[in-house]
Amino acid sequence: MFEVLPALPADPILGLSAAFKEDTNPKKIDLGVGVYKDENGNTPILESVIKAQRLLLDSETTKTYIAPQGVAGFLTGMKALLFGASHPAVTEDRITAVQTPGGTGALRLLAELIARGNPDATVWVSDPTWANHIPIFETAGLRIEKYPYFDKASRGIRFDAMMETLNSVKKNDIVLLHGCCHNPTGQDLNQTQWQAVLEAAQKTGFIPFIDVAYQGFGDGLDEDAYGIRLLSENLPEMILSASCSKNFGLYRERTGMACVVTNSNATRQSLQTQIQSVARANYSMPPSWGAAIVDIILNDEQLKALWQSEVTDMRTRMKSLRAMLVQKLKDKGASMDFDFVNSQKGMFSFLCISPEQVKKMRADSAVYFVDSSRVNIAGISQSNVDDLAEALVKIL
Ligand SMILES: Cc1ncc(COP(=O)(O)O)c(C=O)c1O
């Protein structure tokens, strides 16, 4: 029976990793997959995570299932991190939350929950958005539409066009927003723009869905939660998916959280049964290890402080890599002004060059990144920045 299913083309990002591995050029540079890397190109385990793992190894006594909603201390710690401990939805216990297999698991679970609540909902995603957003929502049976977001020509947000679309979205449609460090563009909404999004939601009745995969990588842990807190404090309902893959470096442990901020504790309680039944029909119980580590870190003052300093180090390093690349390009006389790279946030930057130029950089200089011109800033280092800048100058 299965021979009727044709082979699919390789995933553009994962396919790029495979091509990079096969390339024998000793000077090859990998700016593809969104994984944090240090100066040596490694993705080490955070010190706070190593310490928490040791504590966990010594204290774990069973491998029986954990509770269906996940590790309790993980959920409270994550809610405090994202919404703030004194947020009214937190203190009034109005947030439905379950631990999920990564941020992707959270997105998929929430997509199915939306399909249960409003099968006719359209999900509005930014143009462009993270490549996996569209298949996740479509696989759950939801319709996708795009709202204008990034303008390659001006290297900025098409805010007027974005708002024109958002102001005409139907009540109970879903508008997917990136909490911070927009993937793929690195271009985030400022506080005034978040305010305008809030007002559009109040006017039209759309439900914001904020996806947060890089909290702490933009301006700081609290600063990056500005949009989440503004919208959830001022709207009756908001959806949120969070990933611990990047800021805790727990990629392979598949650690995330799905939340719905509701208007009352009673709705929270009934929705909790719904979201858990979606999870039950998908993977039954969440995994334990990654969430148990986050629980230990967020609920221990010393480990939390250590983790916060490690997030600050990663953020500061990525900012300095942006500045270093922009300076090198200037020094080498690039015919294009790359200053905009310094104002983009987080792990990604859109270089705003054409797919043909991206392909040429790959063929001529073994620099690997996706055709959209999204680069993983963390893949840049002192040792490869000259080669990277030269390759860019050459194709411009
Ligand atoms: C915007 C965005 N959302 C969600 C995710 C999912 O992360 P996870 O690896 O935890 O599934 C990613 C990962 O790249 C992402 O960039």
Side-chain angles (χ1 to χ4, degrees), residues 257-268:
M257 181 173 72
C259 288
V260 182
V261 180
T262 66
N263 57 4
S264 73
N265 176 262
T267 312
R268 200 280 294 157

PDB file of all heavy atoms in Angstrom, residues 257-268:
ATOM      1  N   MET A 257       6.363  24.157  26.270  1.00  0.00           N
ATOM      2  CA  MET A 257       5.113  24.327  27.017  1.00  0.00           C
ATOM      3  C   MET A 257       4.048  24.962  26.122  1.00  0.00           C
ATOM      4  O   MET A 257       4.336  25.906  25.378  1.00  0.00           O
ATOM      5  CB  MET A 257       5.353  25.220  28.248  1.00  0.00           C
ATOM      6  CG  MET A 257       4.103  25.429  29.084  1.00  0.00           C
ATOM      7  SD  MET A 257       4.418  26.291  30.628  1.00  0.00           S
ATOM      8  CE  MET A 257       4.732  27.936  30.048  1.00  0.00           C
ATOM      9  N   ALA A 258       2.830  24.432  26.225  1.00  0.00           N
ATOM     10  CA  ALA A 258       1.677  25.007  25.515  1.00  0.00           C
ATOM     11  C   ALA A 258       0.778  25.670  26.545  1.00  0.00           C
ATOM     12  O   ALA A 258       0.484  25.066  27.578  1.00  0.00           O
ATOM     13  CB  ALA A 258       0.910  23.910  24.786  1.00  0.00           C
ATOM     14  N   CYS A 259       0.357  26.901  26.279  1.00  0.00           N
ATOM     15  CA  CYS A 259      -0.477  27.639  27.242  1.00  0.00           C
ATOM     16  C   CYS A 259      -1.656  28.283  26.537  1.00  0.00           C
ATOM     17  O   CYS A 259      -1.541  28.709  25.383  1.00  0.00           O
ATOM     18  CB  CYS A 259       0.277  28.853  27.798  1.00  0.00           C
ATOM     19  SG  CYS A 259       1.573  28.498  28.920  1.00  0.00           S
ATOM     20  N   VAL A 260      -2.750  28.410  27.272  1.00  0.00           N
ATOM     21  CA  VAL A 260      -3.827  29.305  26.844  1.00  0.00           C
ATOM     22  C   VAL A 260      -4.198  30.166  28.045  1.00  0.00           C
ATOM     23  O   VAL A 260      -4.520  29.641  29.111  1.00  0.00           O
ATOM     24  CB  VAL A 260      -5.085  28.542  26.351  1.00  0.00           C
ATOM     25  CG1 VAL A 260      -6.143  29.529  25.867  1.00  0.00           C
ATOM     26  CG2 VAL A 260      -4.736  27.558  25.249  1.00  0.00           C
ATOM     27  N   VAL A 261      -4.095  31.476  27.864  1.00  0.00           N
ATOM     28  CA  VAL A 261      -4.538  32.395  28.911  1.00  0.00           C
ATOM     29  C   VAL A 261      -6.047  32.544  28.721  1.00  0.00           C
ATOM     30  O   VAL A 261      -6.504  32.924  27.638  1.00  0.00           O
ATOM     31  CB  VAL A 261      -3.859  33.777  28.776  1.00  0.00           C
ATOM     32  CG1 VAL A 261      -4.340  34.719  29.866  1.00  0.00           C
ATOM     33  CG2 VAL A 261      -2.341  33.627  28.826  1.00  0.00           C
ATOM     34  N   THR A 262      -6.814  32.190  29.754  1.00  0.00           N
ATOM     35  CA  THR A 262      -8.277  32.240  29.637  1.00  0.00           C
ATOM     36  C   THR A 262      -8.829  33.391  30.485  1.00  0.00           C
ATOM     37  O   THR A 262      -8.080  34.023  31.235  1.00  0.00           O
ATOM     38  CB  THR A 262      -8.907  30.920  30.134  1.00  0.00           C
ATOM     39  OG1 THR A 262      -8.650  30.809  31.538  1.00  0.00           O
ATOM     40  CG2 THR A 262      -8.334  29.719  29.415  1.00  0.00           C
ATOM     41  N   ASN A 263     -10.140  33.607  30.364  1.00  0.00           N
ATOM     42  CA  ASN A 263     -10.726  34.747  31.082  1.00  0.00           C
ATOM     43  C   ASN A 263     -11.176  34.414  32.507  1.00  0.00           C
ATOM     44  O   ASN A 263     -11.555  35.286  33.259  1.00  0.00           O
ATOM     45  CB  ASN A 263     -11.887  35.347  30.283  1.00  0.00           C
ATOM     46  CG  ASN A 263     -12.953  34.303  29.989  1.00  0.00           C
ATOM     47  OD1 ASN A 263     -12.843  33.161  30.454  1.00  0.00           O
ATOM     48  ND2 ASN A 263     -13.943  34.670  29.203  1.00  0.00           N
ATOM     49  N   SER A 264     -11.145  33.113  32.873  1.00  0.00           N
ATOM     50  CA  SER A 264     -11.559  32.767  34.245  1.00  0.00           C
ATOM     51  C   SER A 264     -10.910  31.460  34.667  1.00  0.00           C
ATOM     52  O   SER A 264     -10.505  30.648  33.828  1.00  0.00           O
ATOM     53  CB  SER A 264     -13.082  32.620  34.330  1.00  0.00           C
ATOM     54  OG  SER A 264     -13.465  31.410  33.687  1.00  0.00           O
ATOM     55  N   ASN A 265     -10.876  31.243  35.974  1.00  0.00           N
ATOM     56  CA  ASN A 265     -10.313  29.993  36.492  1.00  0.00           C
ATOM     57  C   ASN A 265     -11.190  28.804  36.063  1.00  0.00           C
ATOM     58  O   ASN A 265     -10.676  27.714  35.781  1.00  0.00           O
ATOM     59  CB  ASN A 265     -10.191  30.072  38.019  1.00  0.00           C
ATOM     60  CG  ASN A 265      -9.706  28.769  38.594  1.00  0.00           C
ATOM     61  OD1 ASN A 265     -10.491  27.959  39.056  1.00  0.00           O
ATOM     62  ND2 ASN A 265      -8.400  28.551  38.545  1.00  0.00           N
ATOM     63  N   ALA A 266     -12.508  29.032  35.949  1.00  0.00           N
ATOM     64  CA  ALA A 266     -13.404  27.934  35.549  1.00  0.00           C
ATOM     65  C   ALA A 266     -13.092  27.498  34.110  1.00  0.00           C
ATOM     66  O   ALA A 266     -12.990  26.299  33.813  1.00  0.00           O
ATOM     67  CB  ALA A 266     -14.854  28.386  35.663  1.00  0.00           C
ATOM     68  N   THR A 267     -12.897  28.473  33.214  1.00  0.00           N
ATOM     69  CA  THR A 267     -12.545  28.117  31.817  1.00  0.00           C
ATOM     70  C   THR A 267     -11.184  27.419  31.802  1.00  0.00           C
ATOM     71  O   THR A 267     -10.979  26.451  31.078  1.00  0.00           O
ATOM     72  CB  THR A 267     -12.479  29.391  30.927  1.00  0.00           C
ATOM     73  OG1 THR A 267     -13.636  30.162  31.164  1.00  0.00           O
ATOM     74  CG2 THR A 267     -12.365  29.058  29.474  1.00  0.00           C
ATOM     75  N   ARG A 268     -10.276  27.926  32.607  1.00  0.00           N
ATOM     76  CA  ARG A 268      -8.934  27.307  32.688  1.00  0.00           C
ATOM     77  C   ARG A 268      -9.065  25.830  33.027  1.00  0.00           C
ATOM     78  O   ARG A 268      -8.476  24.974  32.384  1.00  0.00           O
ATOM     79  CB  ARG A 268      -8.110  28.042  33.755  1.00  0.00           C
ATOM     80  CG  ARG A 268      -6.629  27.882  33.677  1.00  0.00           C
ATOM     81  CD  ARG A 268      -6.070  26.604  34.234  1.00  0.00           C
ATOM     82  NE  ARG A 268      -6.233  26.440  35.672  1.00  0.00           N
ATOM     83  CZ  ARG A 268      -6.225  25.268  36.297  1.00  0.00           C
ATOM     84  NH1 ARG A 268      -6.070  24.150  35.622  1.00  0.00           N
ATOM     85  NH2 ARG A 268      -6.379  25.219  37.596  1.00  0.00           N
TER      86      ARG A 268
END
